[in-house]
Amino acid sequence: MTAPQTQQQQTLENHVTTGATVWLTGLPSAGKTTIAYELAGRLRAEGRRVEVLDGDEIREFLSAGLGFSREDRHTNVQRIGFVSELLARNGVLALVPVIAPFADSREAVRERHQKGGTAYVEVHVATPVEVCSVRDVKGLYAKQAKGEISGLTGVDDPYEEPESPDLRIESQNQTVQESAAAVHALLTERGLA
């Protein structure tokens, strides 16, 4: 005779175990990372396994030595795509707040997921550059304006907006909680949350 299950064991057994990659793309200071961490907290509170693959941390630890040329940006995105797909196919919700400025790089990541049968959701955090430059979380827009840096995505380096993302968020028109709730609603609708 087996011992009765605890409530926690029953919850874990009955809970969704499907992983997915949720790629949040947008300009610097659009709100991608803030939304990702808000969503991660909500999902963890529901008992989900979640990892946030922050673009800055990835550049420091996984893509150290890469620059910001188109080729290096593509390589960086492919590395992040590989890690996120690996996590997702093992039942983790991988939240990826990474600029990923080029459509072909993002499409290659989507195709990797499709080939592996792994869920992939693209969220465009479509905050206008004017709003991002006011937020300027890292001071990049100010440095670019002073001529201290160049190659700032969306200013003097291209950003190819997704033509048909799974979800488009205009973070300047809603709270962080509302933005995270919109992503959560989409995940729920698709059976991923």
Side-chain angles (χ1 to χ4, degrees):
M1 189 166 145
T2 60
Q5 290 185 323
T6 67
Q7 179 64 36
Q8 183 180 14
Q9 288 170 324
Q10 288 174 346
T11 300
L12 289 174
E13 271 190 24
N14 295 330
H15 205 280
V16 177
T17 56
T18 303
T21 292
V22 180
W23 198 288
L24 295 100
T25 179
L27 297 174
S29 297
K32 302 176 300 297
T33 302
T34 305
I35 294 167
Y37 279 108
E38 178 70 24
L39 178 60
R42 182 173 179 166
L43 291 164
R44 285 185 183 116
E46 295 172 353
R48 293 305 311 269
R49 293 171 50 204
V50 180
E51 287 296 332
V52 177
L53 300 180
D54 181 275
D56 292 335
E57 291 176 359
I58 296 292
R59 277 223 173 249
E60 182 179 353
F61 297 107
L62 186 63
S63 295
L66 289 179
F68 291 90
S69 68
R70 185 179 178 106
E71 182 178 294
D72 282 356
R73 288 177 190 248
H74 180 76
T75 299
N76 184 49
V77 168
Q78 296 318 297
R79 287 178 183 176
I80 298 168
F82 171 78
V83 173
S84 68
E85 199 273 335
L86 182 67
L87 289 167
R89 76 174 126 108
N90 284 284
V92 176
L93 281 170
L95 308 182
V96 186
V98 174
I99 296 169
F102 301 111
D104 60 341
S105 296
R106 293 189 306 267
E107 187 56 32
V109 171
R110 181 186 293 274
E111 287 173 7
R112 167 185 288 283
H113 282 72
Q114 287 173 341
K115 286 178 185 169
T118 307
Y120 178 86
V121 176
E122 183 178 69
V123 177
H124 179 208
V125 183
T127 311
V129 69
E130 300 80 25
V131 175
C132 295
S133 66
V134 170
R135 290 179 181 172
D136 204 9
V137 178
K138 300 172 192 166
L140 297 175
Y141 292 92
K143 288 180 182 178
Q144 191 277 337
K146 292 176 186 173
E148 295 173 11
I149 63 168
S150 62
L152 181 59
T153 303
V155 178
D156 61 352
D157 213 49
Y159 176 73
E160 299 170 355
E161 290 191 6
E163 290 181 16
S164 54
D166 298 288
L167 177 65
R168 193 176 313 274
I169 292 174
E170 295 182 358
S171 71
Q172 74 279 11
N173 297 329
Q174 57 191 37
T175 66
V176 172
Q177 293 77 17
E178 289 169 335
S179 295
V183 181
H184 188 275
L186 177 63
L187 295 176
T188 301
E189 177 185 303
R190 295 191 178 181
L192 301 171

